[in-house]
Amino acid sequence: MSLHPDKIPLIHGFVDGELDAANVLAIEAHLKGCNDCRAELARIEELRGLLASTKLGDRASDRLREWVDAMIDRESGAASQPGPVAARLETPRRRRSGGGITAHVLNGRWASGALAGALAACLALTVAVPQLTRTDIQDQLIQSHIRSLLVGHVVDVETSNRHVVKPWFNGKVDFAPPVPELADEGFPLVGGRLDYVDDHEVAAIVYRRRLHTINLFVRPAKTLSLPIGGITTRHEGYSLVRWTADGLEFWAVSDLDLQELKLFHELYIARASP
Amino acid sequence: MTGGRFWPRLVRPTERPTEPRGNADKAERFRLVMLPHMDAAYSFVRYLTKDPVAAEDVVQEAFLRAYRSFDTWRGDAPKTWLFTIVRHCFLDIVQTQSGRGQARDIDGWTGSVPAELIERHSPESLLAEKNEAAMLRATIEQLPEPFRETLILRELEELSYKEIAAIARVPIGTVMSRLARARQMLAELLLPGASREARA
């Protein structure tokens, strides 16, 4: 076993191209210095090569295709009549035995189970999707944060004067993010930047806390979203605070610890409101 | 048929457009969007059930359910949507089958590779197999759930971690650790010498 079990999932994520920039850099650095993990990487790649070179999939039989085809005809044609259950009985089926799945498919218990399952599937989709989307946005914001630091392109307009930053956004985005002065509380303003998140332009206002950079992303809140008072999360080593105010949605992203970022959030709220 | 009472009353009003015209469009769209994934769906279920006949049953039921709830599809990631239903059908069918218990172990499996598996699939005996593909498939079928499922979705269907997470309804971190474990087990079974080192 490798000496670094905690790194193993990351190596797999690396092989699958599923890591973000920060984790790729971290794991590459680790692999350089760790023979065991490099051997593990080679093993994973050998295994993947073996799997890729073998035909592992199956083709659905013609009979199955025909059945599905007939099912669609039946379902789409039989909107008013006859009942779908009656239609199911006509299906040609080859069975090894009379019992088993067929019996379950055709009896009442199965039907209610199927309904419950279909409902559960619908619920699963509606419940699971927004959550994934949120994580996705968090990923995007963190990557945007990292990128701004990596390429040294933190700000488009560099100034500690809020009266310069605020008008600069004017005409670049169709909303006016508040840019309060927080330097006296230890959060000097660095500047502003335009960024692109989730297919939309967002304003990024950049503050600093000691040596840490805070990217505050601002975009119009979705019309249907509920007011949010300040949800805090840690994600991949970064702190995020999210809130909405005056029809705008705010995401503060930083490698600061969560407490300090919450302090930033409170100060910002207090100073931003007139 | 006791089930006859359920279908028309509950399914029809919510999930069926009223006009025949809409039905034709829906059927055409469904054929266009979902049918191309039939082979993939069948392969996936085949690995879950380890039984071609049972796999066909699951796929039939899954496509029927998918068609009936096609209106709830939001227009993105059709394969993920379809596979979520397919997996549900599989679990439902297996759960209603008291005798077989194939997916009994689908969650919470954390142990190591059972010793008898390693015996049966030692590298020596593997080499003796004539058909490498059949051997490989049989070996994958030996993996316990949920690792087999995760491996198939990644290596065979080439879905992203996020899509796998959506289908299996687990966090992405769980997908990562399951996949790592699945590959580790498979490597122990397939790669000559690897298992000795790994366990040393």
Side-chain angles (χ1 to χ4, degrees):
Chain A
M1 192 62 64
S2 157
L3 290 173
H4 303 96
D6 57 311
K7 295 282 191 292
I8 299 282
L10 288 177
I11 298 176
H12 286 268
F14 178 64
V15 169
D16 291 319
E18 292 269 358
L19 298 186
D20 57 37
N23 274 313
V24 167
L25 291 177
I27 199 72
E28 276 177 345
H30 176 79
L31 285 168
K32 241 173 235 165
C34 178
N35 288 333
D36 283 339
C37 285
R38 251 198 337 270
E40 183 65 21
L41 175 68
R43 246 178 110 203
I44 296 168
E45 279 173 343
E46 187 184 350
L47 179 68
R48 293 204 70 213
L50 184 62
L51 294 176
S53 64
T54 316
K55 188 182 168 295
L56 296 173
D58 277 300
R59 214 180 150 273
S61 69
D62 290 341
R63 208 168 44 80
L64 181 57
R65 275 169 209 290
E66 282 162 22
W67 186 92
V68 172
D69 221 36
M71 178 275 288
I72 296 173
D73 285 341
R74 201 166 62 231
E75 289 284 316
S76 59
S80 46
Q81 67 202 320
V85 170
R88 283 188 75 81
L89 288 175
E90 305 159 4
T91 57
R93 278 162 172 264
R94 163 176 56 92
R95 279 297 147 263
R96 287 200 210 131
S97 66
I101 292 170
T102 317
H104 281 286
V105 168
L106 294 177
N107 75 21
R109 267 172 55 226
W110 165 258
S112 60
L115 278 176
L119 281 173
C122 300
L123 274 177
L125 284 167
T126 48
V127 172
V129 168
Q131 210 154 0
L132 280 169
T133 319
R134 192 181 316 145
T135 317
D136 188 48
I137 286 177
Q138 290 182 2
D139 285 335
Q140 286 190 40
L141 291 171
I142 288 172
Q143 279 166 20
S144 181
H145 172 79
I146 295 168
R147 222 180 306 122
S148 75
L149 302 178
L150 280 182
V151 299
H153 178 237
V154 182
V155 287
D156 291 326
V157 48
E158 184 169 2
T159 172
S160 58
N161 186 342
R162 68 197 190 95
H163 298 296
V164 175
V165 174
K166 202 174 157 71
W168 182 82
F169 281 119
N170 218 331
K172 296 190 174 63
V173 290
D174 51 6
F175 51 94
V179 186
E181 186 69 67
L182 301 172
D184 55 325
E185 298 283 354
F187 293 98
L189 178 66
V190 179
R193 181 179 86 246
L194 274 191
D195 215 312
Y196 200 71
V197 173
D198 206 24
D199 296 334
H200 291 286
E201 281 188 331
V202 299
I205 306 165
V206 184
Y207 288 88
R208 209 179 281 287
R209 174 74 160 178
R210 297 187 304 277
L211 294 174
H212 304 275
T213 300
I214 302 170
N215 265 297
L216 177 64
F217 297 95
V218 189
R219 62 175 185 181
K222 303 246 165 66
T223 37
L224 286 177
S225 59
L226 297 168
I228 297 164
I231 299 175
T232 54
T233 30
R234 291 280 294 173
H235 192 71
E236 297 178 6
Y238 292 88
S239 305
L240 292 98
V241 182
R242 177 192 183 200
W243 70 94
T244 56
D246 298 327
L248 295 176
E249 183 184 3
F250 298 82
W251 288 85
V253 182
S254 178
D255 56 350
L256 272 177
D257 74 49
L258 213 43
Q259 287 308 319
E260 283 194 290
L261 199 61
K262 264 156 100 176
L263 175 67
F264 168 80
H265 162 228
E266 283 157 18
L267 289 167
Y268 183 92
I269 292 274
R271 298 280 177 90
S273 48
Chain B
M1 269 323 102
T2 48
R5 249 172 265 132
F6 285 98
W7 288 109
R9 206 171 54 207
L10 287 178
V11 176
R12 224 182 256 156
T14 50
E15 298 181 3
R16 237 176 236 208
T18 45
E19 293 305 309
R21 179 81 212 113
N23 277 333
D25 283 352
K26 176 180 166 182
E28 197 177 327
R29 227 156 54 88
F30 186 83
R31 282 199 167 93
L32 208 66
V33 176
M34 294 298 167
L35 291 201
H37 301 296
M38 200 191 298
D39 287 339
Y42 177 71
S43 300
F44 174 46
V45 178
R46 176 90 205 258
Y47 277 100
L48 292 181
T49 60
K50 309 180 191 176
D51 176 342
V53 177
E56 290 207 342
D57 273 322
V58 173
V59 173
Q60 282 187 356
E61 181 60 29
F63 270 92
L64 179 66
R65 282 192 206 179
Y67 186 78
R68 288 184 176 169
S69 52
F70 191 46
D71 297 329
T72 65
W73 178 56
R74 294 167 166 202
D76 54 351
K79 193 171 174 183
T80 309
W81 184 82
L82 181 68
F83 270 50
T84 308
I85 297 176
V86 167
R87 184 175 180 274
H88 261 287
C89 285
F90 164 71
L91 290 178
D92 283 351
I93 286 181
V94 170
Q95 271 158 15
T96 47
Q97 281 192 317
S98 44
R100 286 176 148 190
Q102 281 169 342
R104 208 48 29 103
D105 55 350
I106 195 149
D107 281 313
W109 194 91
T110 51
S112 56
V113 182
E116 69 269 20
L117 272 184
I118 295 175
E119 282 314 306
R120 221 180 323 142
H121 285 273
S122 65
E124 292 79 11
S125 69
L126 289 179
L127 285 174
E129 291 269 357
K130 277 186 211 144
N131 187 336
E132 199 186 338
M135 173 276 288
L136 199 51
R137 291 164 69 139
T139 312
I140 293 173
E141 285 187 358
Q142 302 288 338
L143 292 181
E145 289 295 7
F147 305 99
R148 193 184 341 138
E149 168 185 88
T150 314
L151 185 92
I152 290 300
L153 290 175
R154 175 65 214 168
E155 299 292 11
L156 193 60
E157 308 302 344
E158 297 177 339
L159 296 172
S160 71
Y161 288 7
K162 203 168 97 179
E163 290 167 319
I164 299 172
I167 291 169
R169 283 210 269 160
V170 292
I172 287 183
T174 308
V175 172
M176 276 180 104
S177 58
R178 282 182 183 174
L179 183 63
R181 193 76 194 95
R183 282 179 178 154
Q184 223 166 345
M185 284 190 274
L186 203 57
E188 282 186 38
L189 296 172
L190 290 173
L191 301 183
S195 62
R196 310 289 173 273
E197 273 170 43
R199 278 178 298 163

Short mmCIF file of all heavy atoms in Angstrom, two decimals, chain B residues 4 13 20 24 26 57 80 82 102 106 119 156 185-186:
data_model
loop_
_atom_site.label_atom_id
_atom_site.label_comp_id
_atom_site.label_asym_id
_atom_site.label_seq_id
_atom_site.Cartn_x
_atom_site.Cartn_y
_atom_site.Cartn_z
N GLY B 4 -53.95 -2.75 -12.60
CA GLY B 4 -54.71 -2.00 -13.59
C GLY B 4 -55.36 -0.76 -13.02
O GLY B 4 -55.50 0.23 -13.70
N PRO B 13 -53.05 11.59 -15.66
CA PRO B 13 -53.32 13.03 -15.58
C PRO B 13 -52.05 13.86 -15.47
O PRO B 13 -51.96 14.93 -16.04
CB PRO B 13 -54.15 13.16 -14.30
CG PRO B 13 -54.50 11.80 -13.88
CD PRO B 13 -53.58 10.86 -14.52
N PRO B 20 -53.08 14.27 -29.03
CA PRO B 20 -52.34 13.27 -29.79
C PRO B 20 -51.14 13.89 -30.52
O PRO B 20 -50.10 13.29 -30.66
CB PRO B 20 -53.36 12.75 -30.80
CG PRO B 20 -54.70 13.12 -30.26
CD PRO B 20 -54.50 14.31 -29.40
N ALA B 24 -47.15 12.65 -30.51
CA ALA B 24 -46.27 12.30 -31.63
C ALA B 24 -44.93 13.01 -31.49
O ALA B 24 -43.88 12.41 -31.69
CB ALA B 24 -46.95 12.65 -32.95
N LYS B 26 -43.60 14.12 -28.76
CA LYS B 26 -42.90 13.56 -27.61
C LYS B 26 -42.22 12.25 -28.00
O LYS B 26 -41.05 12.03 -27.67
CB LYS B 26 -43.91 13.33 -26.48
CG LYS B 26 -43.34 12.66 -25.25
CD LYS B 26 -44.42 12.50 -24.19
CE LYS B 26 -43.97 11.53 -23.10
NZ LYS B 26 -45.02 11.32 -22.10
N ASP B 57 -35.16 -7.09 -18.76
CA ASP B 57 -36.36 -6.70 -18.02
C ASP B 57 -36.21 -5.31 -17.43
O ASP B 57 -37.12 -4.48 -17.51
CB ASP B 57 -36.63 -7.70 -16.88
CG ASP B 57 -37.44 -8.87 -17.36
OD1 ASP B 57 -38.34 -8.63 -18.19
OD2 ASP B 57 -37.17 -10.00 -16.95
N THR B 80 -27.51 10.96 -18.13
CA THR B 80 -27.58 10.97 -16.67
C THR B 80 -29.02 10.79 -16.20
O THR B 80 -29.29 10.02 -15.28
CB THR B 80 -27.02 12.30 -16.13
OG1 THR B 80 -25.75 12.53 -16.71
CG2 THR B 80 -26.88 12.26 -14.63
N LEU B 82 -31.50 9.37 -17.84
CA LEU B 82 -31.94 8.02 -18.14
C LEU B 82 -31.33 7.01 -17.16
O LEU B 82 -32.02 6.13 -16.65
CB LEU B 82 -31.57 7.66 -19.58
CG LEU B 82 -31.99 6.27 -20.06
CD1 LEU B 82 -33.51 6.19 -20.18
CD2 LEU B 82 -31.36 5.94 -21.41
N GLN B 102 -29.25 -9.84 -4.91
CA GLN B 102 -28.01 -9.51 -5.61
C GLN B 102 -27.40 -8.19 -5.16
O GLN B 102 -26.21 -8.04 -5.12
CB GLN B 102 -28.29 -9.42 -7.11
CG GLN B 102 -28.38 -10.78 -7.75
CD GLN B 102 -28.90 -10.69 -9.15
OE1 GLN B 102 -29.50 -9.70 -9.53
NE2 GLN B 102 -28.67 -11.72 -9.92
N ILE B 106 -25.15 -3.36 -1.75
CA ILE B 106 -24.83 -2.22 -2.61
C ILE B 106 -24.28 -1.03 -1.85
O ILE B 106 -23.52 -0.25 -2.40
CB ILE B 106 -26.06 -1.79 -3.44
CG1 ILE B 106 -25.62 -0.87 -4.56
CG2 ILE B 106 -27.11 -1.12 -2.59
CD1 ILE B 106 -26.44 -0.96 -5.79
N GLU B 119 -7.94 -16.06 -4.97
CA GLU B 119 -7.57 -17.42 -5.33
C GLU B 119 -8.08 -17.76 -6.74
O GLU B 119 -7.33 -18.17 -7.61
CB GLU B 119 -8.15 -18.42 -4.32
CG GLU B 119 -7.39 -18.48 -3.01
CD GLU B 119 -5.89 -18.56 -3.23
OE1 GLU B 119 -5.46 -19.47 -3.97
OE2 GLU B 119 -5.15 -17.72 -2.68
N LEU B 156 -16.57 2.48 -18.39
CA LEU B 156 -17.30 2.02 -19.56
C LEU B 156 -18.13 3.15 -20.16
O LEU B 156 -18.09 3.39 -21.37
CB LEU B 156 -18.23 0.86 -19.14
CG LEU B 156 -18.85 0.05 -20.27
CD1 LEU B 156 -17.76 -0.57 -21.10
CD2 LEU B 156 -19.75 -1.04 -19.69
N MET B 185 -9.04 -2.70 -6.16
CA MET B 185 -9.42 -4.11 -6.11
C MET B 185 -9.17 -4.78 -7.46
O MET B 185 -8.65 -5.88 -7.53
CB MET B 185 -10.90 -4.24 -5.74
CG MET B 185 -11.16 -4.02 -4.28
SD MET B 185 -12.86 -4.46 -3.82
CE MET B 185 -13.71 -2.96 -4.19
N LEU B 186 -9.56 -4.08 -8.50
CA LEU B 186 -9.43 -4.66 -9.83
C LEU B 186 -7.95 -4.84 -10.19
O LEU B 186 -7.56 -5.85 -10.78
CB LEU B 186 -10.12 -3.76 -10.86
CG LEU B 186 -10.55 -4.43 -12.15
CD1 LEU B 186 -11.48 -5.60 -11.86
CD2 LEU B 186 -11.24 -3.43 -13.06
#
